[in-house]
Amino acid sequence: MSSSQKLIMSNRNPILQRQFSGDEKKTPKAVVDFRKDLDRFFFGDSTIACIRNEFGQVTELVVSISCNFGITESLHHLNRGDWGGFVRDRQYRSQFDRSLLALRKKCSLEIDISEFTINFLDTSIIISKIYPNSIPDYLDAILNAVSLNFVHFTKAMTEMPYEIFVPVFIEEMNVPKLEKLRNQNLDMPRSYFDFWGLYFSSNQNNEATVYDVNEKKIIEGDFLLLDF
């Protein structure tokens, strides 16, 4: 590969990965209840891996939901307001918000979501945490952005990427800036809506493609997707 631009994903820390626990017998009941809510909200079958601190307490979740339908069907239901649990009440809290709040109250911890993956029959969306509570805060908006950009990142609906990474960062946005976002919880929601990483089966050597959300276009070139 010639001089490739580098893209940085914001999670997949190998140290944390070794702390995952997907055994439901060892998973707190509150987490199991949250998983059942996700199954109902997303019409799917979810698994949750727990990241624990040095005291054995669950501090973060890695969520993966498998749906037995394609992404277009999910977006249809999303636009109707009956998929994802995002309909809000008078306090502007969605079913998803209330379920996560109940989980936190039962565990007496500010449990966060480190990664949220939705696997459809034709593609997967992998959403990464970029600062505390970023996924719960923007999950609804991210999925709506996927709906609004669907025609563009599928090349006028001629080719479906088999993986969509939200977000990715161009190398010039240095890693210390990402770390500052995490530590200080700075308000930078646009970072979810700048660049996404796409994988197409037609790409040579399974190389990543970048989608510019603001310009609604795929950026041509050689890219190397790195873990942060």
Side-chain angles (χ1 to χ4, degrees):
M1 181 186 300
S2 57
S3 57
S4 301
Q5 290 180 275
K6 294 180 181 179
L7 301 177
I8 301 172
M9 294 186 295
S10 59
N11 67 332
R12 298 173 180 264
N13 188 317
I15 297 176
L16 294 181
Q17 283 187 332
R18 289 198 293 270
Q19 300 178 33
F20 286 179
S21 173
D23 186 351
E24 191 162 299
K25 293 181 180 178
K26 299 179 181 179
T27 301
K29 182 179 182 300
V31 176
V32 176
D33 291 341
F34 180 63
R35 178 184 62 76
K36 291 178 180 178
D37 282 345
L38 293 179
D39 290 350
R40 180 164 50 88
F41 298 156
F42 290 91
F43 312 159
D45 184 16
S46 60
T47 59
I48 297 179
C50 299
I51 299 173
R52 301 175 185 270
N53 61 19
E54 63 271 27
F55 305 108
Q57 298 169 309
V58 176
T59 57
E60 290 191 301
L61 306 177
V62 177
V63 177
S64 179
I65 303 174
S66 296
C67 299
N68 193 30
F69 45 83
I71 187 174
T72 54
E73 184 175 348
S74 75
L75 297 179
H76 170 72
H77 286 286
L78 176 70
N79 293 330
R80 287 178 47 178
D82 57 8
W83 183 78
F86 299 123
V87 175
R88 300 186 181 276
D89 59 20
R90 293 180 179 179
Q91 286 75 41
Y92 205 66
R93 283 182 177 168
S94 67
Q95 292 175 296
F96 182 92
D97 294 335
R98 292 196 299 272
S99 182
L100 182 59
L101 180 62
L103 166 66
R104 289 169 171 171
K105 284 184 176 180
K106 291 174 184 176
C107 294
S108 300
L109 287 169
E110 281 298 308
I111 295 174
D112 207 346
I113 299 176
S114 176
E115 182 177 283
F116 198 96
T117 299
I118 308 176
N119 299 301
F120 302 103
L121 294 179
D122 47 6
T123 189
S124 295
I125 302 174
I126 301 96
I127 303 170
S128 303
K129 172 183 173 180
I130 54 176
Y131 53 80
N133 215 55
S134 61
I135 292 179
D137 282 348
Y138 291 101
L139 181 58
D140 185 8
I142 291 167
L143 294 176
N144 275 289
V146 169
S147 179
L148 291 172
N149 287 270
F150 182 76
V151 172
H152 304 287
F153 70 70
T154 58
K155 305 177 182 179
M157 301 181 70
T158 62
E159 185 177 7
M160 180 75 73
Y162 61 85
E163 284 184 326
I164 306 166
F165 285 90
V166 180
V168 292
F169 300 91
I170 304 298
E171 187 183 36
E172 286 71 20
M173 182 177 181
N174 55 36
V175 171
K177 186 172 183 179
L178 293 179
E179 190 63 26
K180 189 176 181 181
L181 282 172
R182 286 172 181 252
N183 294 337
Q184 299 184 20
N185 194 17
L186 297 181
D187 185 19
M188 193 177 175
R190 293 294 300 173
S191 58
Y192 273 125
F193 310 105
D194 289 335
F195 301 105
W196 298 344
L198 309 177
Y199 280 97
F200 290 98
S201 297
S202 62
N203 285 12
Q204 293 183 351
N205 302 319
N206 292 320
E207 293 176 345
T209 297
V210 176
Y211 178 72
D212 186 327
V213 181
N214 295 305
E215 297 294 329
K216 297 186 183 299
K217 67 179 182 180
I218 292 174
I219 302 174
E220 301 297 336
D222 293 333
F223 295 94
L224 177 64
L225 198 60
L226 302 176
D227 293 348
F228 169 64

